Amino acid sequence: MRTATIPAPRTAGSYSVGIVCLGNICRSPMGEIVLRERVDEAGLSRHVRVASCGTGGWHVGNAMDHRAASALLSWGYDPSEHRAQQLAPHWFAEHDLLLAMDAANLAEMGGRSERVHLFRDHDPVAPGADVPDPYYGGEQGFNDVLHMVERVAAGLVATLQRTPGVTGPTGLP
Ligand code: 4NP
């Protein structure tokens, strides 16, 4: 099934994706690590960069939430390098696509635009839904987030592969 399209890169051959949640210690770092892994597997790591941040600044500089880290570790991902960052105006200028994890994050970012989408706008199963905040819940919520981001990341890689300009200039002079 086809999911939403994404805008062309600002610079041919280089695509920058930023994933945004509230605290940048649970959902968006999980999305970042999983999407980067899929990008590497697809052979796109020279062209596609993935980062994440939170709209709130409480956890800036901190490692990932330990429950998010254990969910990632148990499925073979390495959570150790993550340090939380806060969304700032330069993120809008420097990224080709910003993906909000839920409707509240999206509202904080000024709503949808060409380069600002919901992460799950790219979900082939339930497009337009939120990635629920697992912070106040139990371990299962983190596994649910992990499987959701794996599904969306696979769709996003397919979308990146068919988006003109991601791997270099389009057409011939
Ligand atoms: P995240 O989860 O937005 O997925 O990183 C949260 C992390 C921290 C808080 C809320 C949600 N907090 O209130 O500190």
Side-chain angles (χ1 to χ4, degrees):
M1 189 201 289
R2 285 210 153 200
T3 47
T5 57
I6 57 174
R10 289 184 167 92
T11 305
S14 157
Y15 207 94
S16 178
V17 180
I19 306 178
V20 184
C21 64
L22 178 60
N24 194 218
I25 53 170
C26 301
R27 291 166 294 174
S28 63
M30 293 172 85
E32 174 189 346
I33 283 167
V34 169
L35 180 58
R36 185 178 301 121
E37 184 77 20
R38 295 290 103 80
V39 162
D40 288 353
E41 286 166 8
L44 288 175
S45 56
R46 277 190 308 133
H47 300 290
V48 179
R49 280 169 297 132
V50 188
S52 70
C53 65
T55 59
W58 313 282
H59 302 284
V60 167
N62 292 351
M64 215 180 291
D65 182 283
H66 65 95
R67 299 161 298 175
S70 352
L72 284 168
L73 275 170
S74 70
W75 291 93
Y77 300 95
D78 175 9
S80 66
E81 307 225 318
H82 179 71
R83 295 296 177 269
Q85 305 182 75
Q86 186 174 17
L87 181 66
H90 66 87
W91 281 74
F92 291 87
E94 290 168 2
H95 289 81
D96 294 296
L97 180 65
L98 291 177
L99 297 169
M101 284 304 202
D102 67 27
N105 310 145
L106 183 68
E108 283 283 327
M109 297 161 75
R112 276 195 184 78
S113 67
E114 188 198 10
R115 295 196 186 273
V116 178
H117 300 183
L118 263 185
F119 185 78
R120 289 185 75 190
D121 285 343
H122 301 276
D123 184 349
V125 174
D130 286 347
V131 177
D133 187 346
Y135 189 67
Y136 295 105
E139 192 181 313
Q140 186 55 44
F142 287 84
N143 283 317
D144 291 347
V145 169
L146 183 58
H147 293 120
M148 207 175 273
V149 302
E150 285 187 321
R151 181 171 79 218
V152 174
L156 274 169
V157 165
T159 302
L160 284 159
Q161 283 171 322
R162 65 170 183 263
T163 300
V166 170
T167 56
T170 53
L172 294 170

